[in-house]
Amino acid sequence: MGHRARKRFGQNFLTDPAVIQRIIDTINPAAGELILEIGPGQAALSQPLAESAAELHLLEIDRDLAARLQARFSTGGLAKVHTGDALSTDFSQITGGRRFRLVGNLPYNISTPLLFHVLDWKDLVIDMHFMLQREVVKRMAAVPGTKAWGKLSVMCQYYCEVLPLFEVPPEAFTPSPKVESSFVKLVPHAQPPVRINDLAAFRQLVGQSFSTRRKTLKNCLKGMLDEQQITAAGIDPGTRSETLGLEQFAALSNLLEARS
């Protein structure tokens, strides 16, 4: 499309035909499905997605690219182009409140806050397929007791089943990123894996628990829960947050909510 990648938008365009085809085969779009693609860029995924006869919506922050996409897809109504920042977009305004599939080669410079934003829409999302930095996917799919386990792991796994699918080398992109990439699928849980009484309290507690990783839980949660309260949840106050699983964070969160 004759476009020069812009660093401020984290643009690394997929150009490897084999990788593109593998992604499309994995997504397996079907006629009539509602699909929203974040950051369509030069339409590497958009074109084959549109050819599936899915109802395709493209959300692009770069106005120059959005104009080119509009020109490309205006004939035949294969896709509708929306210009905007995915970090602040109300997806229901695009989809009309209908359930949809979410796809994207996400900009690595804002991937974590963007993931938290899309998780807020999990009740409307059927599934998500994202290209991300490999280290981010490792954090999303991490298990307790590992270095990668943290706030992103807990929140992603509370909302969704996280399925890392395959890795993608830097040379599959133009320009080539300085990191390895991974393609991942997220499937929102039909029912949450643990009971949370107050989601805001859960988010706050998880965030504070990982704010200083080397501190013990009693020090991380100072001002929220004391040692006696943590012990009452069946957890050693002297342990570190990265050793706790979803069930233990839920127990602490529910205790916090009950005593507030």
Side-chain angles (χ1 to χ4, degrees):
M1 294 175 70
H3 177 83
R4 188 172 183 176
R6 289 171 172 156
K7 185 177 290 188
R8 74 178 185 274
F9 292 143
Q11 291 175 341
N12 298 95
F13 303 118
L14 265 173
T15 52
D16 187 313
V19 172
I20 293 167
Q21 188 59 54
R22 187 176 184 186
I23 289 171
I24 296 300
D25 290 344
T26 300
I27 297 171
N28 192 26
E33 288 184 332
L34 178 55
I35 300 178
L36 171 59
E37 182 184 0
I38 295 174
Q42 296 183 321
L45 300 179
S46 313
Q47 188 64 44
L49 286 173
E51 290 169 1
S52 73
E55 180 185 338
L56 181 63
H57 292 259
L58 309 176
L59 178 59
E60 177 58 58
I61 191 173
D62 187 320
R63 293 184 179 275
D64 291 342
L65 279 178
R68 294 172 188 234
L69 290 163
Q70 184 64 49
R72 180 170 185 162
F73 290 107
S74 58
T75 304
L78 290 176
K80 185 171 182 180
V81 180
H82 308 264
T83 305
D85 184 350
L87 275 173
S88 56
T89 294
D90 180 342
F91 296 145
S92 66
Q93 293 296 312
I94 294 176
T95 64
R98 294 173 292 161
R99 285 173 57 77
F100 62 98
R101 304 183 73 189
L102 195 54
V103 176
N105 173 22
L106 302 188
Y108 295 173
N109 58 338
I110 59 164
S111 58
T112 298
L114 188 50
L115 283 168
F116 282 118
H117 178 62
V118 301
L119 288 173
D120 285 338
W121 296 95
K122 64 98 180 173
D123 289 338
L124 287 179
V125 174
I126 297 167
D127 59 19
M128 314 178 216
H129 288 83
F130 295 138
M131 183 74 72
L132 289 160
Q133 185 176 338
R134 183 175 64 183
E135 294 307 311
V136 171
V137 173
K138 285 183 176 180
R139 287 164 52 205
M140 293 165 66
V143 297
T146 62
K147 186 177 180 181
W149 179 254
K151 179 182 177 182
L152 184 63
S153 321
V154 174
M155 299 310 301
C156 281
Q157 293 176 36
Y158 171 71
Y159 285 116
C160 301
E161 181 182 8
V162 180
L163 302 166
L165 298 177
F166 53 86
E167 297 186 358
V168 179
E171 54 267 26
F173 304 84
T174 301
S176 297
K178 296 179 181 179
V179 296
E180 298 286 331
S181 302
S182 292
F183 195 61
V184 64
K185 179 179 182 179
L186 301 176
V187 182
H189 296 301
Q191 294 294 330
V194 293
R195 181 180 61 84
I196 302 294
N197 294 337
D198 186 321
L199 188 52
F202 179 69
R203 287 175 171 173
Q204 181 185 7
L205 182 135
V206 171
Q208 188 159 326
S209 296
F210 288 104
S211 60
T212 312
R213 293 183 69 95
R214 293 188 177 184
K215 286 188 176 181
T216 60
L217 197 59
K218 64 182 178 182
N219 288 326
C220 287
L221 298 182
K222 191 173 292 184
M224 296 184 74
L225 294 172
D226 60 30
E227 288 189 50
Q228 289 73 29
Q229 291 170 324
I230 296 171
T231 301
I235 299 168
D236 178 4
T239 194
R240 291 183 177 177
S241 302
E242 57 263 33
T243 67
L244 304 186
L246 266 178
E247 296 82 0
Q248 292 165 305
F249 280 115
L252 289 171
S253 167
N254 292 339
L255 185 61
L256 176 69
E257 188 270 341
R259 297 187 177 223
S260 61

